[in-house]
Amino acid sequence: MSFFEKLKQGMSKTRKNIAEKLSGVFSVFTRVDEDLLDELEETLILCDLGVNTVTEIIEKLRRQIKEEKLKEITDVKQALKQILLELVEFEQDEEHFPKVILVVGVNGAGKTTSIGKIAHVYQSQGRQVLLAAADTFRAAAAKQLSIWAERAGVPIVKYGEGHDPAAVVYDAIDSAKHRGSDVILCDTAGRLHNKKNLMSELSKISRVIDREYPEAAKETLLVLDGTAGQNALFQAREFANTVSIDGIVLTKLDGTAKGGFIFAIRKELGIPVKYIGVGEGLDDLQPFDAKEFVNSLIE
């Protein structure tokens, strides 16, 4: 099964929520008018796209209808689909290696699981990957990451609970240099409730990377639980106010009808979704493809 098919299957609850509601609107209306736009606006809000995001979408759609003199319902549907695509697509920069990726997120969002799956993605591209268990705040974190390191077949640098996270990253960099690793994936403590500690910890780790591995590219990924819906958007805002986020990993989208909040995240924070997870398997998290995502929602 291709990932697009897995995406359609895994996004079935969100697809049903969005696709069925929109199909209902487009099947009822026969004229392109303000009543249609009002109904689309209300429907998209109910699909968890967020009020601000939906307002912009409808304004763009209204302008396009006027400028292109759209008269057919099918043309409006295609125009809406294109607007949604433009909202979530982003230009993927060329990746540079070696690379250090800091992975942040609250406990329970699927952070550790995502690290193992991202390691698998890079491995499938022929890259050498190393994991760093820098979440030393939570007792089970290193053990859980070790399990995923074994599943993905990649080495891991870890120490006991309470160890200095920056020291773990320091040793991981040293190990990566000796091994010739392309990517270091660093787990970090999910302490959003104490932003000062989180910021201090991540700043210290960042300084270690800059000092010990200046030639490496750096990236910070935020893991969000897709089942949290608009609450995940709140988490994203809080993290973005504390640290610089380069991309988002959305997990557990197979368990929610609230996948529409992806559009709100992109619109309100300007942060691209880089990975999307629709299952528990090692290969059920893949780089985000905006076109496939929108096509999986609106056919």
Side-chain angles (χ1 to χ4, degrees), residues 240-260:
N241 288 335
T242 306
V243 295
S244 178
I245 305 296
D246 299 300
I248 288 171
V249 181
L250 279 174
T251 66
K252 310 177 190 179
L253 282 173
D254 53 315
T256 182
K258 300 177 179 180

Side-chain angles (χ1 to χ4, degrees), residues 54-212:
V54 172
T55 298
E56 180 173 305
I57 290 170
I58 295 301
E59 282 306 310
K60 283 186 177 180
L61 186 58
R62 181 178 284 109
R63 287 197 301 270
Q64 192 167 340
I65 290 171
K66 184 177 181 180
E67 291 169 1
E68 299 180 15
K69 297 180 173 58
L70 302 182
K71 300 294 184 183
E72 301 295 328
I73 295 294
T74 53
D75 292 335
V76 175
K77 183 177 180 180
Q78 288 305 309
L80 175 61
K81 188 174 181 179
Q82 184 60 34
I83 289 169
L84 292 176
L85 174 60
E86 290 172 357
L87 188 58
V88 291
E89 69 180 350
F90 68 99
E91 188 173 342
Q92 180 71 55
D93 295 331
E94 182 182 353
E95 285 199 282
H96 298 281
F97 301 95
K99 185 174 192 175
V100 181
I101 302 174
L102 299 180
V103 185
V104 301
V106 299
N107 294 330
K111 183 160 53 77
T112 306
T113 300
S114 296
I115 291 170
K117 293 179 179 181
I118 294 171
H120 179 68
V121 170
Y122 277 111
Q123 266 204 321
S124 67
Q125 297 171 358
R127 297 292 176 181
Q128 298 296 314
V129 184
L130 175 71
L131 305 189
D135 180 358
T136 60
F137 182 72
R138 190 165 56 93
K143 183 177 181 180
Q144 290 172 353
L145 194 63
S146 295
I147 292 171
W148 278 100
E150 186 175 343
R151 287 179 184 172
V154 298
I156 181 172
V157 173
K158 62 178 180 177
Y159 296 102
E161 181 183 356
H163 202 84
D164 182 2
V168 177
V169 174
Y170 176 93
D171 287 347
I173 290 172
D174 185 59
S175 179
K177 288 178 179 178
H178 284 91
R179 292 172 180 270
S181 302
D182 300 301
V183 181
I184 304 174
L185 280 161
C186 304
D187 193 9
T188 64
R191 291 184 285 180
L192 183 56
H193 62 280
N194 193 328
K195 295 184 199 177
K196 186 177 180 181
N197 282 357
L198 175 65
M199 189 65 178
S200 175
E201 188 174 290
L202 293 177
S203 295
K204 188 176 180 182
I205 289 173
S206 186
R207 288 196 300 272
V208 168
I209 297 169
D210 289 341
R211 185 182 70 237
E212 302 298 327

